[in-house]
């Protein structure tokens, strides 16, 4: 299972990548494998405020519908609209083309409270 | 590949039932008519062909345009298939021979209670006195029907421990919505507006859907390590904005909520009501009652516990029974016994109004009543005892082969998991489901409840014989021992093989013309459609 070293993670299986002052968000390789084939992604509206730990998007697979939780407080500034036609990108490339949205965090320092790669690996292997 | 005949007893897992000559509930030939392609009805279509046409009737004929306003007329033909009666009957009959059904073999679809429905109940519900009555017939002329509805209401109250009931809701989900509207009416009558309904994380998906439809907001309460409602977490969520809690008992893990008295007291102390989702009532029928556990509202799926056929859209019946303080709000009219011993109709004083036309799916109600009469009180209790015994016997056979995340005595169903097998050989819950079709059984429910990874939710029901259970267990055990990759292409013996569910969901083509347009576009691209 792929857990890139340069990302931060939540215990709910989202990843977050600091890019300048913004944070790109997606679901982890572990999450996409557990969900199975993703068939639909309900994206948030750009401009929407999100709160850490609260659901802001949904991922539907052939098995279930799952909430996606915000890793930090902030505002949605960009969404991956390509997922509308190609939800399978969450399966094929969860850390790349399968990103879900970019948020502007209220406090970029909040990322340091998330799990690092080692911590997330331990969580999924336990 | 799979064995051609019944799997012999004594295979791994230690059979405790000596299989007799009977194959045991296994559909021995699926499909009955081989794997040949069955065209859609549109492919049989030939322009101008008719199933039948009236000879001269002597009645005048009109053009549609002469009698229908122009703005309501279609501009293009509707595009129905044009087929002969002979082709149509052949097509439909071939399709029916490719269906799996409760009449054909075991159907261990967890949570759905797909038990065999006695033919006696078909006969009873087919009596012309039931089928020929119009629902608008005045009460004095349909006393038999009214007595049946009154007796059924009375019996359902007795087995649930409730005070009054409506038979109107036509399904479980309709019963849930009715119950939530009753909850709202009750709080409103006390001058309260409450917005939240608590639901466990193991709940049926219909529960949060009904909560939303009823105008409430769902609050999830987690399960504890033993698979039961986490009472401490529940207490944290209780406040004066909580209208109530929705529970199944036993829950979707097949486990009895042992702390139900504590849960009920906590919810009642906070001013909330307890809703009992009767989807799993088959497990406790005649043994214990939701009313005795503290529930205020109960819906029953007559199409599960009381042997009304279901699947494929009904008609079902989801009566709702309530405690005394909610009786005045029930949908009406309700059947009632008048002082002179005859039967009539009566509307509760503060009724929330009708939730279905007339009196619900009345023939499903007649069928349920015949099932109750045929079993009697002792027989109904044996239904639950048999369902629980069968589930636990199967759990014993599967131990050590599949993971059993909550391995202790269950009620009417068990949840197994292929999490370990997935790591070892790649076998997933979906693979087991597909392989089981090849073995001549319906698949169990998979990937539910959501709190169990690679879940297989198996509900054998009380109607299957020990031989059938043994055959089912043998098949499940054999599948777990498949060489890696064996299941990837299953089912290979059914009319339709492994369906690409992800592609179907991503490229949804719900109508024939959408399929045709998709095929034309693919052809234009020179690609296979």
């Amino acid at each position: 299972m792929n857990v890139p070293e340069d990302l931060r993670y939540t215990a709910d299986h989202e990843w977050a990548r600091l890019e300048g002052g913004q944070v790109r968000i997606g679901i982890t390789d572990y999450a996409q494998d557990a969900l199975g084939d993703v068939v639909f992604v309900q994206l948030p509206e750009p401009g929407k405020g999100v709160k850490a730990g609260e659901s802001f998007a949904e991922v539907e697979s052939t098995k279930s519908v799952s909430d996606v939780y915000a890793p930090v407080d902030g505002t949605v500034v960009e969404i991956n609209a390509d997922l509308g036609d190609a939800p399978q990108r969450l399966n094929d490339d969860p850390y790349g083309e399968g990103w879900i949205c970019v948020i502007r965090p209220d406090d970029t320092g909040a990322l340091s409270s998330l799990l690092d790669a080692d911590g997330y690996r331990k969580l999924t292997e336990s | 590949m799979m064995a051609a005949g019944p799997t012999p007893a004594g295979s791994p897992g230690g059979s405790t039932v000596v299989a007799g000559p009977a194959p045991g509930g296994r559909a021995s030939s699926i499909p009955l008519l081989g794997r040949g392609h069955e065209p859609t009805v549109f492919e049989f279509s030939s322009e101008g062909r008719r199933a039948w046409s009236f000879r001269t009737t002597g009645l005048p004929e009109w053009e549609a345009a002469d009698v229908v306003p122009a703005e309501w007329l279609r501009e293009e033909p509707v595009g129905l298939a044009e087929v002969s009666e002979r082709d149509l009957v052949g097509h439909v009959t071939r399709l029916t021979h490719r269906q799996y059904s409760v009449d054909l073999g075991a159907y261990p679809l967890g949570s759905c209670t797909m038990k065999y429905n006695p033919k006696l109940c078909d006969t009873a519900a087919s009596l012309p006195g039931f089928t020929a009555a119009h629902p608008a017939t005045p009460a004095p002329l349909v006393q038999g029907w009214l007595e049946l509805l009154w007796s059924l209401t009375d019996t359902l109250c007795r087995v649930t421990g409730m005070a009054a009931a409506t038979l109107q809701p036509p399904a479980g989900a309709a019963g849930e919505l009715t119950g939530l509207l009753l909850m709202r009416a009750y709080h409103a009558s006390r001058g309260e507006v409450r917005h939240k309904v608590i639901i466990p994380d193991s709940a049926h998906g219909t529960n949060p859907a009904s909560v939303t439809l009823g105008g409430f907001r769902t609050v999830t309460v987690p399960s504890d390590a033993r698979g039961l409602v986490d009472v401490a977490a529940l207490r944290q969520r209780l406040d004066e904005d909580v209208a109530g809690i929705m529970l199944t008992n036993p829950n979707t893990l097949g486990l009895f909520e042992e702390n139900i008295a504590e849960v009920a007291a906590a919810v009642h102390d906070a001013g909330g009501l307890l809703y009992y989702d009767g989807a799993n009532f088959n497990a406790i029928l005649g043994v214990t009652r939701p009313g005795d556990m503290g529930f205020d509202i109960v819906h029953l799926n007559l199409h599960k516990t009381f042997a009304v056929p279901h699947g494929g859209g009904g008609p079902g019946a989801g009566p709702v029974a309530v405690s005394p303080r909610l009786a005045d709000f029930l949908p009406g009219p309700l059947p009632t016994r008048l002082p002179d011993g005859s039967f009539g109709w009566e509307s509760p004083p503060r009724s929330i109004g009708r939730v279905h036309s007339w009196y619900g799916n009345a023939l499903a109600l007649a069928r349920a009543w015949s099932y109750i009469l045929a079993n009697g009180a002792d027989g109904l209790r044996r239904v639950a005892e048999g369902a629980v015994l069968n589930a636990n016997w199967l759990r014993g056979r599967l131990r050590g082969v599949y993971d059993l995340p909550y391995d202790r005595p269950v009620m009417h169903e068990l949840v197994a998991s292929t999490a370990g097998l997935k790591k070892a050989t790649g076998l997933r819950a979906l693979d087991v489901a597909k392989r089981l079709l090849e073995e001549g059984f319906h698949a169990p429910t998979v990937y539910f409840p959501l709190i169990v990874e690679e879940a297989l939710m198996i509900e054998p029901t009380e109607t299957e014989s020990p031989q059938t259970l043994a055959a089912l267990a043998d098949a499940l055990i054999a599948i777990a021992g498949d060489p890696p990759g064996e299941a990837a292409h299953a089912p290979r013996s059914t009319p339709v093989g492994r369906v690409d569910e992800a592609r179907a969901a991503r490229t949804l083509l719900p109508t024939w013309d959408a399929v045709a347009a998709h095929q034309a576009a693919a052809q234009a691209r020179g690609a296979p459609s």
Side-chain angles (χ1 to χ4, degrees):
Chain A
M1 193 188 60
N2 185 9
V3 183
E5 291 300 328
D6 59 327
L7 302 181
R8 290 287 182 158
Y9 300 89
T10 70
D12 298 313
H13 311 290
E14 289 86 17
W15 57 262
R17 178 190 289 129
L18 194 60
E19 298 178 353
Q22 300 185 334
V23 178
R24 193 175 297 267
I25 299 169
I27 64 168
T28 64
D29 189 28
Y30 178 90
Q32 69 80 20
D33 182 61
L35 285 169
D37 294 326
V38 174
V39 297
F40 180 71
V41 183
Q42 176 86 52
L43 294 163
E45 292 288 323
K48 180 188 162 71
V50 299
K51 279 210 145 343
E54 289 190 6
S55 168
F56 71 96
E58 279 179 359
V59 176
E60 183 176 345
S61 75
T62 49
K63 291 185 205 168
S64 67
V65 181
S66 300
D67 286 313
V68 183
Y69 301 97
V72 292
D73 296 349
T75 308
V76 177
V77 292
E78 193 185 345
I79 56 169
N80 187 358
D82 291 345
L83 296 178
D85 285 335
Q88 61 270 26
R89 286 184 183 177
L90 263 72
N91 296 118
D92 299 342
D93 191 8
Y95 300 111
E97 287 192 331
W99 63 279
I100 292 173
C101 73
V102 175
I103 67 171
R104 189 173 56 242
D106 296 347
D107 168 19
T108 51
L111 243 67
S112 61
S113 66
L114 300 178
L115 297 167
D116 61 12
D118 235 21
Y120 182 67
R121 213 173 281 124
K122 284 201 184 91
L123 176 85
T124 55
E125 283 164 7
S126 66
Chain B
M1 297 291 284
M2 76 209 117
T7 310
S11 53
S15 178
T16 54
V17 170
V18 179
R26 179 186 303 236
S28 57
S29 62
I30 295 179
L32 299 177
L33 291 176
R35 291 202 65 180
H37 169 69
E38 179 64 26
T40 67
V41 72
F42 292 95
E43 290 165 89
F44 288 107
S45 187
S46 178
E47 196 177 338
R49 190 170 287 172
R50 292 286 178 271
W52 41 260
S53 54
F54 287 116
R55 299 179 66 81
T56 306
T57 60
L59 295 171
E61 290 186 10
W62 290 286
E63 286 296 318
D66 295 336
V67 288
V68 179
E71 68 267 28
W72 293 351
L73 284 173
R74 281 183 181 280
E75 288 167 7
E76 288 169 22
V78 67
L80 296 175
E82 299 180 83
V83 293
S84 70
E85 177 178 330
R86 199 274 161 276
D87 285 351
L88 179 63
V89 169
H91 172 62
V92 173
T93 305
R94 287 192 296 275
L95 289 180
T96 59
H97 283 218
R98 292 173 174 213
Q99 296 297 322
Y100 197 86
S101 71
V102 285
D103 279 359
L104 199 56
Y107 208 126
L109 192 65
S111 202
C112 294
T113 314
M114 300 300 287
K115 62 191 194 184
Y116 173 78
N117 306 301
K119 295 303 162 205
L120 170 73
C121 304
D122 287 2
T123 307
S126 303
L127 293 173
F130 291 134
T131 59
H134 191 281
T137 309
L141 302 179
V142 281
Q143 285 292 298
W145 249 126
L146 277 165
E147 181 174 357
L148 184 153
L149 298 175
W150 181 87
S151 304
L152 179 61
T153 305
D154 181 61
T155 301
L156 296 181
C157 287
R158 286 169 193 268
V159 296
T160 54
M162 293 285 132
T166 171
L167 302 175
Q168 281 181 21
E176 288 179 31
L177 180 60
T178 303
L180 286 157
L181 295 176
L182 291 168
M183 213 181 259
R184 170 189 294 274
Y186 167 78
H187 289 302
S189 75
R190 296 157 56 90
E192 290 182 5
V193 181
R194 293 178 173 235
H195 297 98
K196 297 189 289 194
V197 174
I198 298 177
I199 292 179
D201 59 3
S202 61
H204 296 123
T206 45
N207 292 172
S210 298
V211 165
T212 305
L213 200 59
F216 296 100
R217 194 154 49 81
T218 299
V219 176
T220 305
V221 61
S223 303
D224 64 17
R226 300 187 69 235
L228 306 176
V229 169
D230 183 331
V231 181
L234 172 66
R235 288 187 193 282
Q236 286 169 8
R237 286 160 176 75
L238 287 171
D239 57 32
E240 70 258 18
D241 201 26
V242 170
I245 184 170
M246 295 180 86
L247 290 175
T248 50
N249 195 13
N251 64 24
T252 56
L253 293 164
L255 301 172
F256 191 80
E257 292 284 353
E258 295 161 12
N259 305 317
I260 187 60
E262 200 183 343
V263 167
V267 173
H268 284 154
D269 284 349
L273 297 172
L274 277 86
Y275 183 98
Y276 182 93
D277 176 334
N280 297 340
F281 193 64
N282 206 49
I284 64 166
L285 177 62
V287 178
T288 183
R289 310 188 300 173
D292 301 335
M293 302 175 202
F295 283 93
D296 303 283
I297 308 169
V298 178
H299 93 250
L300 294 175
N301 302 75
L302 298 189
H303 46 281
K304 294 183 179 183
T305 315
F306 294 92
V308 174
H310 67 295
V320 171
V322 296
S323 57
R325 57 180 166 162
L326 289 158
D328 282 355
F329 303 103
L330 282 173
L334 304 174
T336 183
R337 182 138 72 168
L338 303 170
D340 67 359
S342 69
F343 296 91
W345 295 110
E346 176 182 61
S347 279
R350 291 188 284 176
S351 173
I352 61 168
R354 283 183 181 278
V355 295
H356 194 268
S357 57
W358 303 110
Y359 315 113
N361 284 330
L363 289 170
L365 301 173
R367 194 184 291 269
W369 180 239
S370 71
Y371 181 76
I372 289 168
L373 288 181
N375 277 288
D378 56 335
L380 292 181
R381 184 184 170 102
R382 280 207 303 278
V383 163
E385 291 170 347
V388 171
L389 180 64
N390 282 357
N392 280 292
W393 188 87
L394 207 51
R395 185 174 60 93
R397 284 294 312 277
L398 298 182
R399 185 181 297 121
V401 180
Y402 290 88
D403 297 326
L404 296 169
Y406 301 92
D407 189 16
R408 62 177 196 272
V410 292
M411 300 292 284
H412 65 307
E413 64 193 359
L414 69 137
V415 176
S417 164
T418 66
L421 286 163
K422 188 181 162 193
K423 282 201 187 82
T425 67
L427 189 75
R428 302 162 64 109
L430 185 67
D431 297 326
V432 176
K434 300 294 187 188
R435 277 282 288 114
L436 210 49
L437 303 181
E438 295 183 332
E439 298 290 338
F441 296 103
H442 195 280
T445 296
V446 293
Y447 300 113
F448 186 81
L450 299 174
I451 54 175
V452 173
E453 190 187 352
E454 297 295 328
L456 289 165
M457 190 191 204
I458 304 168
E459 181 178 6
T461 83
E462 74 283 3
T463 56
E464 299 307 335
S465 68
Q467 286 77 12
T468 297
L469 291 182
L472 175 61
D474 288 343
L476 282 164
I477 291 164
I479 291 166
D482 278 350
E486 171 79 6
H489 300 290
R492 289 154 290 203
S493 57
T494 49
V496 176
R498 181 72 72 108
V499 175
D500 187 343
E501 294 173 33
R503 186 173 160 226
R506 287 169 185 160
T507 318
L508 188 62
L509 303 170
T511 59
W512 167 250
D513 42 345
V515 174
H518 182 77
Q519 285 171 342
Q523 214 160 31
R525 288 197 308 271
S529 58

